[in-house]
Amino acid sequence: FESTWTLFMLGDYNKALGNLLTIYSPYFEDNLFHEMYIVEALIYFNLCLFKKTGDSISAFIDEFADIKNELKTLLDQYKEDPIKLSNFVLSDDFDKEVDPRVVFKIEEDKRFKQRKYYIESLKKEHTKFMNESVVFQVSSLGEYLRVTIDNDINEAEKNLGKMAYKMINDIYDDLVSSS
């Protein structure tokens, strides 16, 4: 996508529009490239194709108005509770209730993947601990391990929730500033 902006800035509108055709292909349907409508509108505007300029702007508004509202609702709902947001983002409901392009953008982030894996690992350790004998669980070492694992899970979920909130907020801000 970045090369499309470069081609636009260099005045090579035909190649820039060709790049946009690639981005419109089904291969990229899970990616959130809202800027492509802006570049497309700017190219058409510079070519004095004002109807197509308006069509690009209308397509942007039609496609992203619902996503923008959805993100605003998420931000309002989880503003004060990062652990609740973390649990939502890690649940199957996230994939079902949020636009797949937003889900893809968040879940493909390297830092998000690392933190998600860390939480999953901690929860596996918690499950292993709970399968140990009751004698071990109530021992001073067992109690120390349980508290440590629980605290680590809580802190990791809080950090993932804060990170997810920031990512959602960034996507929302991009959509608002592009509107």
Side-chain angles (χ1 to χ4, degrees):
F1 174 76
E2 291 80 10
S3 64
T4 304
W5 273 106
T6 303
L7 291 167
F8 165 70
M9 296 302 286
L10 293 173
D12 196 345
Y13 302 140
N14 288 332
K15 284 185 182 176
L17 288 170
N19 279 3
L20 289 176
L21 284 176
T22 302
I23 294 170
Y24 282 123
S25 74
Y27 181 79
F28 292 106
E29 69 187 358
D30 289 338
N31 290 283
L32 188 66
F33 290 125
H34 56 282
E35 300 97 339
M36 68 186 181
Y37 293 100
I38 297 166
V39 176
E40 184 180 60
L42 289 170
I43 291 169
Y44 288 142
F45 182 79
N46 284 336
L47 294 172
C48 298
L49 298 170
F50 302 117
K51 167 124 177 49
K52 286 190 173 192
T53 301
D55 292 345
S56 294
I57 293 168
S58 295
F60 171 82
I61 292 168
D62 292 345
E63 186 157 350
F64 293 104
D66 290 340
I67 295 172
K68 192 169 62 170
N69 293 335
E70 180 180 285
L71 295 177
K72 178 68 172 140
T73 301
L74 278 174
L75 292 169
D76 291 343
Q77 182 177 356
Y78 294 108
K79 186 175 188 171
E80 302 297 325
D81 196 348
I83 292 176
K84 191 174 177 184
L85 177 58
S86 174
N87 290 328
F88 174 67
V89 168
L90 294 174
S91 74
D92 292 336
D93 291 339
F94 183 61
D95 294 342
K96 295 174 188 167
E97 296 176 21
V98 176
D99 186 277
R101 293 168 292 187
V102 174
V103 171
F104 183 80
K105 186 167 181 82
I106 291 172
E107 289 184 346
E108 289 303 307
D109 182 84
K110 183 179 177 180
R111 295 167 303 136
F112 180 86
K113 285 181 179 180
Q114 290 170 337
R115 291 182 183 187
K116 180 179 176 182
Y117 177 76
Y118 179 59
I119 291 170
E120 290 168 350
S121 298
L122 287 171
K123 288 184 176 182
K124 284 179 188 175
E125 289 301 317
H126 186 267
T127 301
K128 285 180 188 177
F129 174 79
M130 296 309 287
N131 289 330
E132 291 294 328
S133 70
V134 175
V135 172
F136 175 72
Q137 289 181 31
V138 298
S139 70
S140 59
L141 176 60
E143 183 63 23
Y144 171 77
L145 288 175
R146 185 191 59 75
V147 169
T148 301
I149 292 170
D150 288 347
N151 288 341
D152 288 350
I153 290 171
N154 189 43
E155 191 64 30
E157 287 177 340
K158 187 171 21 171
N159 288 335
L160 181 75
K162 288 178 181 178
M163 179 181 167
Y165 188 89
K166 183 181 180 330
M167 293 171 79
I168 292 167
N169 193 57
D170 289 348
I171 295 168
Y172 175 77
D173 286 346
D174 282 348
L175 290 174
V176 168
S177 68
S178 298
S179 297

